[in-house]
């Protein structure tokens, strides 16, 4: 089975993905996909923060990104388009390789229609996210967490044409506000097992 996880910033989605990975014995793919894509595009020298900026700047790109165009038969393509295409290709390949968990990267949309894919959206109420912002995200405020969510939503909406976080895009929506991540992981595993019987 493949489990894709999209998450609100501050909802504990990454931690939940790690717990699921351990419980299921599945590989977890996250930022590695970005680095694999960058390597294949020949831009592996870029720093993590530069790669992050690619994802935060959906077109129209600011002028500082103008040098990052790849020219091919079809004319110029902005590098972040190429990155998205490359990441999608890697996600499809990883899904063919067997059981895994893919965090973020629009994987739910990329793998839509594939069998044995369970797409999960992880959310939480503001109070929970605010608390995690202070304790887990180095004192980030709710406003900062929300700004990060807006970037995720913009990126997802731009590349998939769908609305990030909309219930009908996912198999399962879990709210982490009122139960332990461990219990939620067990419930997701139970769901996956039941659906794939």
């Amino acid at each position: 089975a493949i489990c894709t996880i999209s998450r609100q910033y501050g909802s504990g989605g990454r931690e939940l993905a790690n717990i699921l990975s351990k419980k299921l014995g599945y590989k977890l793919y996250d930022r590695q996909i970005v680095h694999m894509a960058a390597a294949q595009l020949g831009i592996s020298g870029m720093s993590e923060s530069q790669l992050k900026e690619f994802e935060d700047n959906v077109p129209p790109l600011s002028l500082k990104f103008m040098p990052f165009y790849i020219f091919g038969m079809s004319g110029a393509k902005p590098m972040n388009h190429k990155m998205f295409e490359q990441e999608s290709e890697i996600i499809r390949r990883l899904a063919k390789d067997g059981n895994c968990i893919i965090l973020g990267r629009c994987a739910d949309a990329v793998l839509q229609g594939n069998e044995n894919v369970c797409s999960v959206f992880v959310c939480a109420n503001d109070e929970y996210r605010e608390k995690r912002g202070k304790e887990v995200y180095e004192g980030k405020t709710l406003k900062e967490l929300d700004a990060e969510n807006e970037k995720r939503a913009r990126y997802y909406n731009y590349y998939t044409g769908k609305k990030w976080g909309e219930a009908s895009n996912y198999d399962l929506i879990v709210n982490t506000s009122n139960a332990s991540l461990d219990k939620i992981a067990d419930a997701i595993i139970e769901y996956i097992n039941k659906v794939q019987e």
Side-chain angles (χ1 to χ4, degrees):
I2 316 296
C3 182
T4 70
I5 296 181
S6 304
R7 77 275 185 214
Q8 275 188 331
Y9 202 54
S11 65
R14 183 184 299 274
E15 203 180 317
L16 182 60
N18 277 303
I19 295 168
L20 278 169
S21 164
K22 287 193 182 85
K23 282 179 183 272
L24 288 163
Y26 286 10
K27 281 184 184 153
L28 170 62
Y29 296 104
D30 178 15
R31 299 294 299 168
Q32 309 97 302
I33 294 170
V34 181
H35 292 287
M36 286 154 95
Q40 286 180 3
L41 291 171
I43 53 166
S44 48
M46 286 178 83
S47 70
E48 185 70 28
S49 61
Q50 283 174 308
L51 287 169
K52 181 89 179 69
E53 274 210 53
F54 265 144
E55 298 172 338
D56 290 348
N57 286 273
V58 297
L61 286 175
S62 62
L63 283 172
K64 64 178 174 173
F65 282 108
M66 291 314 270
F68 292 113
Y69 269 81
I70 288 183
F71 292 90
M73 296 297 284
S74 58
K77 252 191 187 175
M79 180 61 96
N80 53 0
H81 273 244
K82 291 295 289 178
M83 273 293 277
F84 180 76
E85 285 170 10
Q86 199 68 53
E87 285 178 22
S88 299
E89 208 172 290
I90 290 165
I91 286 167
R92 283 189 280 268
R93 210 162 56 228
L94 293 172
K96 278 194 187 114
D97 284 348
N99 299 337
C100 64
I101 293 164
I102 302 173
L103 187 64
R105 324 256 66 80
C106 305
D108 56 284
V110 172
L111 297 176
Q112 192 185 14
N114 285 34
E115 284 180 10
N116 298 332
V117 175
C118 175
S119 58
V120 180
F121 186 81
V122 184
C123 60
N125 64 30
D126 286 354
E127 204 179 348
Y128 178 88
R129 288 173 54 240
E130 193 163 29
K131 189 167 180 278
R132 273 186 78 86
K134 284 184 191 130
E135 294 167 6
V136 185
Y137 296 86
E138 297 147 13
K140 278 195 166 67
T141 64
L142 188 60
K143 200 175 171 184
E144 287 172 301
L145 298 180
D146 285 342
E148 197 62 38
N149 275 341
E150 278 167 32
K151 286 176 193 170
R152 281 182 186 173
R154 206 165 50 233
Y155 182 86
Y156 183 91
N157 301 354
Y158 180 82
Y159 283 109
T160 69
K162 299 158 127 201
K163 195 164 186 280
W164 183 77
E166 192 166 280
S168 58
N169 293 338
Y170 310 93
D171 296 307
L172 199 59
I173 293 195
V174 295
N175 187 323
T176 52
S177 314
N178 304 312
S180 73
L181 293 174
D182 199 71
K183 277 185 182 166
I184 290 167
D186 287 340
I188 292 170
I189 291 166
E190 198 175 328
Y191 176 87
I192 291 170
N193 291 338
K194 280 267 187 279
V195 166
Q196 295 185 352
E197 271 175 4

